[in-house]
Amino acid sequence: MGEAAVQPELDTFPAAKMAQTNPLPVPMGPWKITVYDQENFQGKRMEFTSACPNIMECSFDNIRSLKVECGAWVGYEHTGFCGQQFTLERGEYPRWDAWSGSNAYHIERLMSFRPICSANHKESKITVYEKDNFIGRQWELSDDYPSLQAMGWANNEVVTGHGWACYQYPGYRGYQYVLEADHHGGDYKHWREWGSHAQTCQIQSIRRIQQ
Amino acid sequence: MGEAAVQPELDTFPAAKMAQTNPLPVPMGPWKITVYDQENFQGKRMEFTSACPNIMECSFDNIRSLKVECGAWVGYEHTGFCGQQFTLERGEYPRWDAWSGSNAYHIERLMSFRPICSANHKESKITVYEKDNFIGRQWELSDDYPSLQAMGWANNEVVTGHGWACYQYPGYRGYQYVLEADHHGGDYKHWREWGSHAQTCQIQSIRRIQQ
């Protein structure tokens, strides 16, 4: 994968053309999520259409299942949008392992969540850099890559973009890092800015988040 | 998502054009995988370039870490390519949870594996049907979808194609089902044919496997 490898794609696939060739409906909001304090959509239930910084303020001790009914969301291990991040796209999550990254660091907690903005699935773009502070070679990606190593990717690269998820392991597994245009001004200068749970710069797969 | 929604894409993106606009290198083989009997690439080590139906015949009691160096592979929970399936694309898998689907049914075993053929990442296509035996509405997909529900997908649909992975939960989590052109003649008439571990027809995300 070289500098010249991806840039031609930008000329060939302008955003307007991509939209035209993708007639699938892409709802852009409003957001809606229903959470339950027991597995399999049982127990106490509450609907949200905006961010919840602390589920204990809603008399929940934890969230054990959820349904995303509209929009894309990100859940967090701790209150105040801290700790491990979990991408939550539309669908049913009957238990904790449906959204977890299946990590060694395994704590079954989802204590805060918020809606996220992401581009039309076919129009998403992200720019990745060889070194931190946006130095070195750069590539603009517009597709999902379950294995970055298959593209000749090194481990010391940093990304910037919005509505994308990066993962520690191939195939979208392990620690998840959600990158957004409206956080850090859309720019992530160093892998430590990916989240409070980021302990290494290693990412092995990257994909768009679907609204 | 309707019948008319995806077909125009086929006219606009013929395979030759997609290849031209995707100059990223896509190795098509040979295959190579290195497996270890301890986590973090420690302990006994063995390289394979073809299928292994039973790791015990190679004096391994289990595989606890692995590196995919070339091609895409699928791992299995049991010997003889049975049980849970794990997509293995190029990259490093330092422990079991790097390849697992983070399931309730959590057994840390990988007892057989084999290389799989998949199309060029940009040229992959899969046809999905509303009902089993290829009846009802059909759609041809050529992109990854982390949430099929966001596209209006129902749960009773059946797929056919090759080099694709379907998942129980959104975001490529839960049970994995690897679909290939050279198994079942590339046709899966019923969800029970997805694998010996398939217990329901529910799939909530689908993606291409990367060579």
Side-chain angles (χ1 to χ4, degrees), chain A residues 5 23 90 97 102 143 147 208, chain B residues 5 23 90 97 102 143 147 208:
Chain A
R90 198 166 149 183
D97 51 19
S102 62
D143 199 358
S147 165
R208 297 157 291 172
Chain B
R90 197 167 149 183
D97 50 20
S102 63
D143 198 0
S147 166
R208 297 157 293 173

Side-chain angles (χ1 to χ4, degrees), chain B residues 158-196:
Chain B
V158 176
V159 288
T160 181
H162 67 284
W164 288 72
C166 304
Y167 294 86
Q168 180 186 16
Y169 299 135
Y172 316 119
R173 309 213 168 277
Y175 282 128
Q176 307 173 44
Y177 308 105
V178 174
L179 305 182
E180 295 168 90
D182 52 351
H183 279 236
H184 298 276
D187 296 334
Y188 296 79
K189 289 182 195 165
H190 191 281
W191 58 264
R192 284 197 181 85
E193 294 179 352
W194 297 346
S196 60

Side-chain angles (χ1 to χ4, degrees), chain A residues 39-53:
Chain A
E39 292 187 352
N40 294 309
F41 320 115
Q42 303 293 312
K44 193 187 306 180
R45 157 207 164 104
M46 195 170 285
E47 288 180 5
F48 292 83
T49 55
S50 60
C52 173

